[in-house]
Amino acid sequence: MEIREFVETLDREGRSLATAAEKAGVDAEVPTCAGWQVRDLVRHTGMVHRWATAFVAEGHTSYHPDGGLPDLDHDALLTWFRDGHRRLVDTLSDASPDVRCWTFLPAPSPLAFWARRQAHETTVHRVDAESALGGEPTAVQPDFAVDGIDELLSGFHGRDRSKIRTEEPRVLRVRATDRADAVWTVRLSSEAPFTERGGHPHTDTDTDQNADVDCELAGPVAGLYLALWNRAPFPTVTGDASLATLWRERSAITWS
Protein backbone atom coordinates (compact mmCIF):
# COMPACT_ATOMS: atom_id res chain seq x y z
CA MET A 1 0.00 0.00 0.00
CA GLU A 2 1.08 3.58 -0.68
CA ILE A 3 1.63 6.21 2.00
CA ARG A 4 -1.36 8.14 0.68
CA GLU A 5 -3.60 5.10 1.17
CA PHE A 6 -2.44 4.67 4.75
CA VAL A 7 -3.11 8.33 5.53
CA GLU A 8 -6.56 8.12 3.96
CA THR A 9 -7.30 5.04 6.06
CA LEU A 10 -6.03 6.78 9.19
CA ASP A 11 -8.27 9.75 8.44
CA ARG A 12 -11.37 7.62 7.91
CA GLU A 13 -10.76 5.27 10.84
CA GLY A 14 -10.04 8.05 13.31
CA ARG A 15 -13.26 9.84 12.43
CA SER A 16 -15.17 6.56 12.75
CA LEU A 17 -13.57 5.90 16.14
CA ALA A 18 -14.68 9.31 17.41
CA THR A 19 -18.22 8.79 16.09
CA ALA A 20 -18.51 5.37 17.75
CA ALA A 21 -17.10 6.71 21.02
CA GLU A 22 -19.58 9.57 21.02
CA LYS A 23 -22.51 7.24 20.35
CA ALA A 24 -21.45 4.74 23.00
CA GLY A 25 -20.62 7.37 25.63
CA VAL A 26 -17.39 7.59 27.59
CA ASP A 27 -18.77 5.46 30.45
CA ALA A 28 -19.44 2.44 28.21
CA GLU A 29 -17.38 -0.70 28.69
CA VAL A 30 -15.09 -1.79 25.85
CA PRO A 31 -15.57 -5.57 25.47
CA THR A 32 -12.44 -6.01 23.34
CA CYS A 33 -10.23 -4.28 25.95
CA ALA A 34 -10.89 -5.85 29.33
CA GLY A 35 -11.15 -3.29 32.11
CA TRP A 36 -11.38 -0.28 29.80
CA GLN A 37 -14.19 2.18 29.35
CA VAL A 38 -14.53 4.27 26.21
CA ARG A 39 -12.80 7.22 27.92
CA ASP A 40 -9.70 5.04 28.47
CA LEU A 41 -9.67 4.05 24.81
CA VAL A 42 -10.03 7.63 23.60
CA ARG A 43 -7.35 8.94 25.96
CA HIS A 44 -4.91 6.22 24.94
CA THR A 45 -5.43 6.56 21.18
CA GLY A 46 -5.34 10.33 21.32
CA MET A 47 -2.10 10.21 23.28
CA VAL A 48 -0.56 7.86 20.70
CA HIS A 49 -1.64 10.18 17.88
CA ARG A 50 0.10 13.14 19.50
CA TRP A 51 3.19 11.03 20.25
CA ALA A 52 3.45 9.94 16.61
CA THR A 53 2.86 13.49 15.34
CA ALA A 54 5.78 14.79 17.39
CA PHE A 55 8.29 12.47 15.71
CA VAL A 56 7.34 13.57 12.20
CA ALA A 57 6.62 17.23 12.93
CA GLU A 58 9.59 17.85 15.24
CA GLY A 59 12.08 15.42 13.67
CA HIS A 60 13.07 13.49 16.81
CA THR A 61 15.74 11.03 15.72
CA SER A 62 15.73 9.03 18.95
CA TYR A 63 12.99 7.80 21.25
CA HIS A 64 10.89 10.61 22.69
CA PRO A 65 8.41 9.96 25.52
CA ASP A 66 4.70 10.50 25.09
CA GLY A 67 2.91 13.44 26.67
CA GLY A 68 0.79 11.37 29.05
CA LEU A 69 -2.96 10.99 29.27
CA PRO A 70 -5.17 14.10 29.50
CA ASP A 71 -7.34 14.97 32.47
CA LEU A 72 -10.34 15.46 30.19
CA ASP A 73 -13.70 13.75 29.89
CA HIS A 74 -16.96 13.73 27.92
CA ASP A 75 -17.25 16.35 25.15
CA ALA A 76 -13.91 17.97 25.99
CA LEU A 77 -12.17 14.60 25.66
CA LEU A 78 -13.73 13.92 22.27
CA THR A 79 -12.81 17.38 21.02
CA TRP A 80 -9.23 16.81 22.19
CA PHE A 81 -9.14 13.48 20.38
CA ARG A 82 -10.49 14.91 17.13
CA ASP A 83 -8.01 17.80 17.24
CA GLY A 84 -5.05 15.47 17.75
CA HIS A 85 -6.21 13.07 15.07
CA ARG A 86 -6.63 15.93 12.60
CA ARG A 87 -3.13 17.21 13.34
CA LEU A 88 -1.65 13.74 12.81
CA VAL A 89 -3.41 13.33 9.46
CA ASP A 90 -2.33 16.81 8.33
CA THR A 91 1.25 16.26 9.51
CA LEU A 92 1.61 13.01 7.58
CA SER A 93 -0.10 14.50 4.52
CA ASP A 94 2.19 17.53 4.45
CA ALA A 95 5.47 15.89 5.47
CA SER A 96 8.40 15.65 3.10
CA PRO A 97 8.89 12.11 1.75
CA ASP A 98 12.48 12.20 3.00
CA VAL A 99 11.67 13.33 6.55
CA ARG A 100 14.05 11.77 9.07
CA CYS A 101 12.88 10.66 12.50
CA TRP A 102 12.88 7.70 14.89
CA THR A 103 10.96 4.52 14.08
CA PHE A 104 10.79 1.10 15.71
CA LEU A 105 9.95 -1.34 12.88
CA PRO A 106 11.53 -1.83 9.44
CA ALA A 107 9.97 0.36 6.74
CA PRO A 108 10.89 1.92 3.39
CA SER A 109 11.06 5.33 5.07
CA PRO A 110 10.15 6.98 8.39
CA LEU A 111 7.09 8.56 6.77
CA ALA A 112 5.95 5.20 5.43
CA PHE A 113 6.45 3.68 8.89
CA TRP A 114 4.39 6.26 10.77
CA ALA A 115 1.59 6.37 8.19
CA ARG A 116 1.28 2.59 8.23
CA ARG A 117 1.63 2.17 12.00
CA GLN A 118 -0.92 4.85 12.85
CA ALA A 119 -3.38 3.56 10.26
CA HIS A 120 -3.34 0.12 11.89
CA GLU A 121 -3.24 1.49 15.44
CA THR A 122 -6.32 3.56 14.74
CA THR A 123 -8.18 0.81 12.89
CA VAL A 124 -7.78 -1.68 15.72
CA HIS A 125 -8.94 0.90 18.25
CA ARG A 126 -11.86 1.89 16.00
CA VAL A 127 -12.94 -1.75 16.27
CA ASP A 128 -12.63 -1.39 20.04
CA ALA A 129 -14.83 1.71 20.04
CA GLU A 130 -17.44 -0.02 17.91
CA SER A 131 -17.41 -3.01 20.25
CA ALA A 132 -18.80 -0.69 22.93
CA LEU A 133 -21.87 -0.27 20.72
CA GLY A 134 -22.49 -4.00 20.37
CA GLY A 135 -22.96 -5.83 17.09
CA GLU A 136 -20.42 -6.49 14.37
CA PRO A 137 -17.70 -3.90 13.70
CA THR A 138 -17.29 -2.28 10.30
CA ALA A 139 -15.29 -4.66 8.09
CA VAL A 140 -11.58 -4.11 7.52
CA GLN A 141 -10.64 -3.93 3.84
CA PRO A 142 -8.83 -7.10 2.65
CA ASP A 143 -5.69 -5.43 1.24
CA PHE A 144 -5.29 -3.44 4.44
CA ALA A 145 -5.83 -6.58 6.54
CA VAL A 146 -3.09 -8.41 4.62
CA ASP A 147 -0.70 -5.53 5.26
CA GLY A 148 -1.60 -5.46 8.94
CA ILE A 149 -0.94 -9.17 9.38
CA ASP A 150 2.43 -8.65 7.70
CA GLU A 151 3.23 -5.84 10.13
CA LEU A 152 2.16 -7.84 13.16
CA LEU A 153 3.87 -11.15 12.30
CA SER A 154 7.05 -9.94 10.60
CA GLY A 155 7.37 -6.61 12.38
CA PHE A 156 6.17 -6.73 15.98
CA HIS A 157 6.75 -10.45 16.48
CA GLY A 158 10.03 -10.43 14.62
CA ARG A 159 11.53 -8.44 17.49
CA ASP A 160 13.41 -9.93 20.42
CA ARG A 161 10.76 -8.62 22.79
CA SER A 162 8.09 -10.95 21.34
CA LYS A 163 6.83 -13.38 24.00
CA ILE A 164 5.65 -16.00 21.50
CA ARG A 165 8.17 -18.72 22.36
CA THR A 166 8.11 -22.54 22.54
CA GLU A 167 10.55 -24.92 24.22
CA GLU A 168 10.71 -27.09 21.10
CA PRO A 169 10.51 -25.83 17.51
CA ARG A 170 6.93 -25.59 16.26
CA VAL A 171 5.35 -24.28 13.08
CA LEU A 172 2.24 -22.13 12.97
CA ARG A 173 0.57 -21.32 9.67
CA VAL A 174 -1.77 -18.38 9.14
CA ARG A 175 -3.83 -18.78 5.96
CA ALA A 176 -6.46 -16.52 4.45
CA THR A 177 -9.23 -18.49 2.78
CA ASP A 178 -10.21 -15.59 0.53
CA ARG A 179 -6.74 -14.54 -0.66
CA ALA A 180 -4.48 -17.10 -2.33
CA ASP A 181 -1.44 -14.88 -1.75
CA ALA A 182 -2.06 -14.40 1.97
CA VAL A 183 -0.29 -17.28 3.69
CA TRP A 184 2.27 -16.91 6.47
CA THR A 185 4.48 -19.58 8.05
CA VAL A 186 5.58 -18.67 11.57
CA ARG A 187 8.47 -20.72 12.96
CA LEU A 188 8.41 -20.80 16.74
CA SER A 189 11.23 -21.71 19.09
CA SER A 190 12.98 -20.39 22.19
CA GLU A 191 14.03 -17.42 20.05
CA ALA A 192 11.87 -14.69 18.53
CA PRO A 193 9.44 -16.03 15.90
CA PHE A 194 10.56 -16.06 12.28
CA THR A 195 7.83 -15.45 9.70
CA GLU A 196 7.92 -16.24 6.01
CA ARG A 197 5.24 -14.91 3.67
CA GLY A 198 3.95 -17.37 1.09
CA GLY A 199 3.11 -21.04 0.91
CA HIS A 200 0.50 -23.30 -0.53
CA PRO A 201 -3.05 -21.89 -0.66
CA HIS A 202 -4.37 -25.34 0.44
CA THR A 203 -7.18 -27.47 -0.89
CA ASP A 204 -9.32 -29.93 1.02
CA THR A 205 -7.68 -32.85 -0.80
CA ASP A 206 -4.09 -31.72 -0.27
CA THR A 207 -2.76 -33.08 3.01
CA ASP A 208 0.98 -33.41 2.33
CA GLN A 209 1.60 -29.66 2.40
CA ASN A 210 0.49 -29.43 6.04
CA ALA A 211 2.71 -32.28 7.21
CA ASP A 212 5.27 -29.88 8.68
CA VAL A 213 2.71 -27.51 10.21
CA ASP A 214 1.71 -28.05 13.84
CA CYS A 215 -1.25 -25.67 13.82
CA GLU A 216 -3.08 -23.66 11.18
CA LEU A 217 -5.19 -20.56 11.76
CA ALA A 218 -7.45 -20.01 8.76
CA GLY A 219 -10.33 -17.82 7.69
CA PRO A 220 -11.19 -14.67 5.75
CA VAL A 221 -8.26 -12.26 5.93
CA ALA A 222 -10.25 -9.51 7.66
CA GLY A 223 -11.26 -11.97 10.36
CA LEU A 224 -7.68 -13.18 10.79
CA TYR A 225 -6.52 -9.58 11.16
CA LEU A 226 -8.87 -9.00 14.09
CA ALA A 227 -8.18 -12.43 15.58
CA LEU A 228 -4.41 -11.99 15.52
CA TRP A 229 -4.87 -8.64 17.26
CA ASN A 230 -6.99 -10.52 19.82
CA ARG A 231 -10.16 -8.65 18.90
CA ALA A 232 -12.10 -11.68 17.64
CA PRO A 233 -11.99 -15.50 17.82
CA PHE A 234 -9.90 -17.36 15.27
CA PRO A 235 -12.24 -18.40 12.45
CA THR A 236 -10.78 -21.93 12.19
CA VAL A 237 -8.07 -23.71 14.15
CA THR A 238 -6.71 -27.06 12.96
CA GLY A 239 -3.91 -29.12 14.47
CA ASP A 240 -2.44 -28.39 17.88
CA ALA A 241 -4.80 -25.83 19.40
CA SER A 242 -2.31 -25.10 22.18
CA LEU A 243 -0.46 -22.83 19.73
CA ALA A 244 -3.61 -20.80 19.22
CA THR A 245 -3.91 -20.57 23.00
CA LEU A 246 -0.27 -19.50 23.23
CA TRP A 247 -0.98 -16.71 20.77
CA ARG A 248 -3.99 -15.57 22.79
CA GLU A 249 -2.04 -15.56 26.04
CA ARG A 250 1.32 -14.14 24.94
CA SER A 251 0.94 -12.02 21.78
CA ALA A 252 -0.48 -8.81 23.20
CA ILE A 253 1.35 -5.64 22.13
CA THR A 254 1.39 -3.37 25.16
CA TRP A 255 2.24 0.31 25.38
CA SER A 256 4.83 -0.12 28.10
Side-chain angles (χ1 to χ4, degrees):
M1 293 179 62
E2 301 293 329
I3 292 173
R4 173 187 54 80
E5 295 175 284
F6 286 124
V7 176
E8 289 172 352
T9 300
L10 166 64
D11 187 8
R12 180 179 65 252
E13 296 287 344
R15 288 185 283 108
S16 295
L17 189 161
T19 297
E22 188 170 33
K23 288 180 179 177
V26 296
D27 296 322
E29 300 292 328
V30 181
T32 51
C33 296
W36 271 19
Q37 293 178 308
V38 167
R39 62 169 52 86
D40 302 305
L41 175 68
V42 174
R43 287 170 179 163
H44 167 78
T45 313
M47 174 271 292
V48 173
H49 284 172
R50 283 166 166 75
W51 178 72
T53 298
F55 285 104
V56 179
E58 300 170 17
H60 298 291
T61 56
S62 59
Y63 176 81
H64 186 74
D66 64 80
L69 301 176
D71 185 19
L72 297 170
D73 212 346
H74 301 287
D75 289 348
L77 176 60
L78 290 169
T79 297
W80 173 86
F81 173 85
R82 287 184 168 111
D83 288 347
H85 169 250
R86 184 75 260 151
R87 182 162 182 246
L88 174 59
V89 170
D90 291 345
T91 295
L92 294 172
S93 297
D94 297 341
S96 170
D98 60 359
V99 65
R100 292 290 175 259
C101 61
W102 179 82
T103 62
F104 60 88
L105 294 177
S109 69
L111 184 59
F113 166 80
W114 285 110
R116 180 196 206 192
R117 177 80 291 276
Q118 290 309 298
H120 287 294
E121 175 85 8
T122 306
T123 298
V124 170
H125 287 318
R126 182 270 297 167
V127 171
D128 293 332
E130 289 183 349
S131 78
L133 294 170
E136 292 295 319
T138 304
V140 176
Q141 293 300 308
D143 286 348
F144 185 70
V146 170
D147 180 83
I149 294 173
D150 269 337
E151 184 201 42
L152 182 61
L153 296 181
S154 298
F156 279 106
H157 287 290
R159 301 185 298 173
D160 287 340
R161 63 190 299 180
S162 174
K163 297 179 181 178
I164 304 294
R165 310 289 175 108
T166 55
E167 292 185 7
E168 300 295 331
R170 309 298 299 281
V171 179
L172 175 68
R173 175 171 290 158
V174 176
R175 178 177 61 84
T177 54
D178 54 349
R179 291 284 299 259
D181 63 333
V183 182
W184 297 263
T185 300
V186 186
R187 302 190 182 281
L188 306 176
S189 68
S190 59
E191 304 296 324
F194 176 76
T195 298
E196 298 173 289
R197 173 81 180 273
H200 300 289
H202 178 76
T203 64
D204 291 339
T205 58
D206 189 351
T207 57
D208 291 341
Q209 66 187 9
N210 282 333
D212 62 344
V213 174
D214 296 292
C215 178
E216 181 178 88
L217 311 175
V221 70
L224 287 174
Y225 175 86
L226 295 182
L228 290 165
W229 275 106
N230 294 319
R231 263 57 183 191
F234 289 115
T236 303
V237 178
T238 55
D240 184 356
S242 70
L243 294 184
T245 301
L246 175 70
W247 185 272
R248 283 276 181 249
E249 294 177 347
R250 306 296 299 276
S251 69
I253 307 298
T254 59
W255 182 247
S256 58

